Short mmCIF file of all heavy atoms in Angstrom, two decimals:
data_model
loop_
_atom_site.label_atom_id
_atom_site.label_comp_id
_atom_site.label_asym_id
_atom_site.label_seq_id
_atom_site.Cartn_x
_atom_site.Cartn_y
_atom_site.Cartn_z
N THR A 1 0.88 -1.25 0.01
CA THR A 1 0.02 0.02 -0.01
C THR A 1 0.84 1.24 0.04
O THR A 1 1.94 1.33 0.65
CB THR A 1 -0.94 0.05 1.26
OG1 THR A 1 -0.15 0.05 2.45
CG2 THR A 1 -1.89 -1.17 1.25
N LEU A 2 0.47 2.27 -0.78
CA LEU A 2 1.10 3.57 -0.68
C LEU A 2 0.04 4.62 -0.45
O LEU A 2 -0.84 4.76 -1.30
CB LEU A 2 1.79 3.76 -2.07
CG LEU A 2 2.53 5.15 -2.25
CD1 LEU A 2 3.57 5.37 -1.20
CD2 LEU A 2 3.05 5.39 -3.67
N ASP A 3 0.14 5.33 0.65
CA ASP A 3 -0.85 6.27 1.02
C ASP A 3 -0.16 7.60 1.22
O ASP A 3 0.79 7.80 1.94
CB ASP A 3 -1.40 5.86 2.46
CG ASP A 3 -2.56 6.74 2.92
OD1 ASP A 3 -3.20 7.37 2.05
OD2 ASP A 3 -2.86 6.70 4.11
N ILE A 4 -0.62 8.57 0.41
CA ILE A 4 0.05 9.89 0.41
C ILE A 4 -0.94 10.97 0.53
O ILE A 4 -2.00 11.02 -0.08
CB ILE A 4 0.86 10.07 -0.92
CG1 ILE A 4 1.54 11.42 -1.00
CG2 ILE A 4 0.04 9.86 -2.12
CD1 ILE A 4 2.51 11.51 -2.18
N ASP A 5 -0.64 11.98 1.42
CA ASP A 5 -1.61 13.03 1.61
C ASP A 5 -1.38 14.16 0.57
O ASP A 5 -0.33 14.25 -0.08
CB ASP A 5 -1.57 13.61 3.04
CG ASP A 5 -0.35 14.29 3.43
OD1 ASP A 5 0.13 15.24 2.63
OD2 ASP A 5 0.24 14.01 4.48
N ILE A 6 -2.32 15.08 0.37
CA ILE A 6 -2.29 16.02 -0.66
C ILE A 6 -1.13 16.96 -0.51
O ILE A 6 -0.54 17.46 -1.53
CB ILE A 6 -3.64 16.74 -0.77
CG1 ILE A 6 -3.69 17.60 -2.12
CG2 ILE A 6 -3.86 17.66 0.40
CD1 ILE A 6 -5.07 18.14 -2.31
N GLU A 7 -0.71 17.32 0.67
CA GLU A 7 0.35 18.24 0.87
C GLU A 7 1.66 17.60 0.38
O GLU A 7 2.51 18.21 -0.32
CB GLU A 7 0.54 18.63 2.36
CG GLU A 7 -0.68 19.51 2.85
CD GLU A 7 -0.81 20.81 2.06
OE1 GLU A 7 0.15 21.41 1.71
OE2 GLU A 7 -1.99 21.20 1.81
N ASN A 8 1.95 16.34 0.74
CA ASN A 8 3.13 15.55 0.30
C ASN A 8 2.99 15.29 -1.16
O ASN A 8 4.07 15.13 -1.83
CB ASN A 8 3.29 14.42 1.23
CG ASN A 8 3.87 14.72 2.58
OD1 ASN A 8 4.70 15.62 2.74
ND2 ASN A 8 3.36 14.08 3.60
N LEU A 9 1.84 15.18 -1.71
CA LEU A 9 1.70 15.02 -3.16
C LEU A 9 2.30 16.18 -3.81
O LEU A 9 3.03 16.06 -4.89
CB LEU A 9 0.30 14.77 -3.55
CG LEU A 9 0.04 14.75 -5.08
CD1 LEU A 9 0.63 13.52 -5.71
CD2 LEU A 9 -1.54 14.75 -5.38
N GLY A 10 2.04 17.39 -3.27
CA GLY A 10 2.62 18.62 -3.87
C GLY A 10 4.06 18.59 -3.76
O GLY A 10 4.79 18.97 -4.71
N LEU A 11 4.68 18.23 -2.69
CA LEU A 11 6.11 18.16 -2.52
C LEU A 11 6.72 17.15 -3.48
O LEU A 11 7.82 17.44 -4.07
CB LEU A 11 6.40 17.78 -1.05
CG LEU A 11 6.12 18.80 0.05
CD1 LEU A 11 6.43 18.16 1.42
CD2 LEU A 11 6.98 20.05 -0.09
N LEU A 12 6.03 15.96 -3.55
CA LEU A 12 6.60 14.92 -4.45
C LEU A 12 6.54 15.46 -5.85
O LEU A 12 7.51 15.22 -6.71
CB LEU A 12 5.81 13.67 -4.27
CG LEU A 12 6.33 12.47 -5.11
CD1 LEU A 12 7.78 12.14 -4.89
CD2 LEU A 12 5.43 11.23 -4.81
N THR A 13 5.54 16.12 -6.31
CA THR A 13 5.35 16.64 -7.65
C THR A 13 6.52 17.57 -7.97
O THR A 13 7.16 17.46 -9.02
CB THR A 13 4.04 17.40 -7.79
OG1 THR A 13 2.96 16.48 -7.61
CG2 THR A 13 3.96 18.04 -9.15
N ASP A 14 6.87 18.43 -7.02
CA ASP A 14 8.00 19.37 -7.24
C ASP A 14 9.35 18.71 -7.31
O ASP A 14 10.21 19.05 -8.17
CB ASP A 14 8.03 20.47 -6.16
CG ASP A 14 6.86 21.44 -6.26
OD1 ASP A 14 6.36 21.64 -7.37
OD2 ASP A 14 6.53 22.03 -5.21
N LEU A 15 9.45 17.67 -6.54
CA LEU A 15 10.72 16.85 -6.58
C LEU A 15 10.91 16.14 -7.91
O LEU A 15 12.02 15.98 -8.42
CB LEU A 15 10.76 15.84 -5.48
CG LEU A 15 10.93 16.37 -4.02
CD1 LEU A 15 10.76 15.22 -3.05
CD2 LEU A 15 12.35 16.94 -3.87
N LEU A 16 9.77 15.76 -8.52
CA LEU A 16 9.77 15.10 -9.85
C LEU A 16 9.83 16.06 -10.98
O LEU A 16 9.79 15.59 -12.16
CB LEU A 16 8.58 14.21 -9.96
CG LEU A 16 8.52 13.02 -9.04
CD1 LEU A 16 7.20 12.29 -9.07
CD2 LEU A 16 9.67 12.01 -9.35
N GLY A 17 9.78 17.40 -10.74
CA GLY A 17 9.85 18.37 -11.82
C GLY A 17 8.48 18.62 -12.42
O GLY A 17 8.39 19.24 -13.52
N GLY A 18 7.38 18.29 -11.69
CA GLY A 18 6.03 18.62 -12.20
C GLY A 18 5.35 17.34 -12.78
O GLY A 18 6.02 16.33 -13.11
N LEU A 19 4.02 17.42 -12.90
CA LEU A 19 3.20 16.35 -13.52
C LEU A 19 2.52 16.83 -14.76
O LEU A 19 1.91 17.94 -14.73
CB LEU A 19 2.18 15.75 -12.49
CG LEU A 19 2.74 15.22 -11.17
CD1 LEU A 19 1.56 14.61 -10.37
CD2 LEU A 19 3.84 14.19 -11.45
N ASN A 20 2.63 16.05 -15.83
CA ASN A 20 2.00 16.43 -17.07
C ASN A 20 0.64 15.95 -17.19
O ASN A 20 0.40 14.72 -17.19
CB ASN A 20 2.90 15.91 -18.25
CG ASN A 20 2.46 16.40 -19.65
OD1 ASN A 20 1.77 15.78 -20.29
ND2 ASN A 20 2.95 17.61 -19.95
N VAL A 21 -0.30 16.80 -17.22
CA VAL A 21 -1.80 16.35 -17.36
C VAL A 21 -2.52 17.23 -18.44
O VAL A 21 -2.02 18.30 -18.78
CB VAL A 21 -2.54 16.58 -16.00
CG1 VAL A 21 -1.92 15.70 -14.89
CG2 VAL A 21 -2.51 18.02 -15.59
N LEU A 22 -3.64 16.77 -18.81
CA LEU A 22 -4.46 17.50 -19.82
C LEU A 22 -5.57 18.25 -19.09
O LEU A 22 -6.41 17.64 -18.37
CB LEU A 22 -5.05 16.51 -20.85
CG LEU A 22 -6.02 17.18 -21.85
CD1 LEU A 22 -5.33 18.23 -22.65
CD2 LEU A 22 -6.63 16.08 -22.71
N VAL A 23 -5.64 19.57 -19.18
CA VAL A 23 -6.70 20.40 -18.66
C VAL A 23 -7.54 20.83 -19.84
O VAL A 23 -7.07 21.53 -20.73
CB VAL A 23 -6.18 21.63 -17.84
CG1 VAL A 23 -7.29 22.46 -17.31
CG2 VAL A 23 -5.16 21.16 -16.78
N TYR A 24 -8.81 20.29 -19.92
CA TYR A 24 -9.60 20.45 -21.04
C TYR A 24 -10.01 21.92 -21.29
O TYR A 24 -10.09 22.34 -22.44
CB TYR A 24 -10.89 19.63 -20.93
CG TYR A 24 -10.58 18.14 -21.00
CD1 TYR A 24 -10.57 17.39 -19.88
CD2 TYR A 24 -10.32 17.53 -22.18
CE1 TYR A 24 -10.22 15.99 -19.91
CE2 TYR A 24 -10.04 16.22 -22.32
CZ TYR A 24 -10.00 15.45 -21.18
OH TYR A 24 -9.72 14.12 -21.14
N SER A 25 -10.15 22.73 -20.32
CA SER A 25 -10.55 24.12 -20.49
C SER A 25 -10.04 24.89 -19.31
O SER A 25 -9.79 24.33 -18.13
CB SER A 25 -12.04 24.30 -20.59
OG SER A 25 -12.70 23.80 -19.43
N PRO A 26 -9.72 26.19 -19.43
CA PRO A 26 -9.14 27.04 -18.34
C PRO A 26 -10.06 26.96 -17.14
O PRO A 26 -11.30 26.94 -17.27
CB PRO A 26 -9.12 28.42 -18.93
CG PRO A 26 -9.09 28.25 -20.43
CD PRO A 26 -9.96 27.04 -20.67
N VAL A 27 -9.49 26.99 -15.97
CA VAL A 27 -10.21 27.00 -14.66
C VAL A 27 -10.02 28.29 -13.95
O VAL A 27 -8.88 28.69 -13.71
CB VAL A 27 -9.77 25.75 -13.81
CG1 VAL A 27 -10.47 25.85 -12.51
CG2 VAL A 27 -10.01 24.47 -14.53
N ASP A 28 -11.07 28.91 -13.64
CA ASP A 28 -11.04 30.16 -12.80
C ASP A 28 -12.36 30.03 -11.95
O ASP A 28 -13.46 30.42 -12.40
CB ASP A 28 -11.08 31.37 -13.67
CG ASP A 28 -10.89 32.68 -12.87
OD1 ASP A 28 -10.99 32.58 -11.61
OD2 ASP A 28 -10.75 33.70 -13.44
N ALA A 29 -12.16 29.49 -10.76
CA ALA A 29 -13.34 29.25 -9.85
C ALA A 29 -13.02 29.52 -8.47
O ALA A 29 -11.84 29.58 -8.07
CB ALA A 29 -13.83 27.79 -10.03
N VAL A 30 -14.05 29.70 -7.64
CA VAL A 30 -13.92 29.84 -6.24
C VAL A 30 -14.54 28.71 -5.48
O VAL A 30 -15.73 28.34 -5.80
CB VAL A 30 -14.59 31.24 -5.81
CG1 VAL A 30 -14.43 31.37 -4.27
CG2 VAL A 30 -13.93 32.37 -6.52
N GLY A 31 -13.78 28.13 -4.55
CA GLY A 31 -14.31 27.04 -3.77
C GLY A 31 -15.25 27.41 -2.70
O GLY A 31 -15.57 28.61 -2.43
N GLU A 32 -15.80 26.38 -2.06
CA GLU A 32 -16.80 26.57 -0.95
C GLU A 32 -16.31 27.48 0.20
O GLU A 32 -17.03 28.18 0.86
CB GLU A 32 -17.26 25.25 -0.38
CG GLU A 32 -18.00 24.37 -1.41
CD GLU A 32 -18.49 23.06 -0.83
OE1 GLU A 32 -18.09 22.84 0.34
OE2 GLU A 32 -19.20 22.29 -1.45
N ASN A 33 -14.99 27.39 0.48
CA ASN A 33 -14.42 28.13 1.53
C ASN A 33 -13.73 29.45 1.08
O ASN A 33 -12.96 30.01 1.78
CB ASN A 33 -13.38 27.31 2.30
CG ASN A 33 -14.08 26.11 2.93
OD1 ASN A 33 -15.11 26.19 3.49
ND2 ASN A 33 -13.40 24.91 2.76
N GLY A 34 -14.06 29.77 -0.17
CA GLY A 34 -13.46 31.06 -0.71
C GLY A 34 -12.08 30.90 -1.38
O GLY A 34 -11.52 31.91 -1.85
N GLU A 35 -11.55 29.65 -1.50
CA GLU A 35 -10.27 29.50 -2.07
C GLU A 35 -10.42 29.70 -3.64
O GLU A 35 -11.44 29.31 -4.21
CB GLU A 35 -9.71 28.13 -1.79
CG GLU A 35 -10.56 26.91 -2.26
CD GLU A 35 -11.64 26.43 -1.31
OE1 GLU A 35 -12.16 27.35 -0.60
OE2 GLU A 35 -11.87 25.32 -1.28
N ARG A 36 -9.37 30.27 -4.30
CA ARG A 36 -9.43 30.52 -5.73
C ARG A 36 -8.66 29.44 -6.47
O ARG A 36 -7.59 29.10 -6.12
CB ARG A 36 -8.76 31.88 -5.98
CG ARG A 36 -8.83 32.36 -7.45
CD ARG A 36 -10.17 32.92 -7.69
NE ARG A 36 -10.33 33.46 -9.04
CZ ARG A 36 -9.97 34.72 -9.33
NH1 ARG A 36 -9.52 35.55 -8.46
NH2 ARG A 36 -10.23 35.18 -10.61
#
């Protein structure tokens, strides 16, 4: 099993030089707690 929390996912991503993904359309949204 490999269990990783979202904060450490961010750290690991930076250590790997980023993750390549497809974003279908630009995202500009505000979350339930006001996060952008």
Side-chain angles (χ1 to χ4, degrees):
T1 58
L2 177 61
D3 188 18
I4 179 171
D5 69 49
I6 192 171
E7 294 300 323
N8 284 320
L9 174 64
L11 291 174
L12 182 56
T13 295
D14 288 335
L15 288 172
L16 293 170
L19 300 185
N20 189 263
V21 298
L22 176 61
V23 181
Y24 291 102
S25 58
V27 175
D28 185 350
V30 178
E32 295 180 355
N33 298 318
E35 62 273 32
R36 189 76 176 272

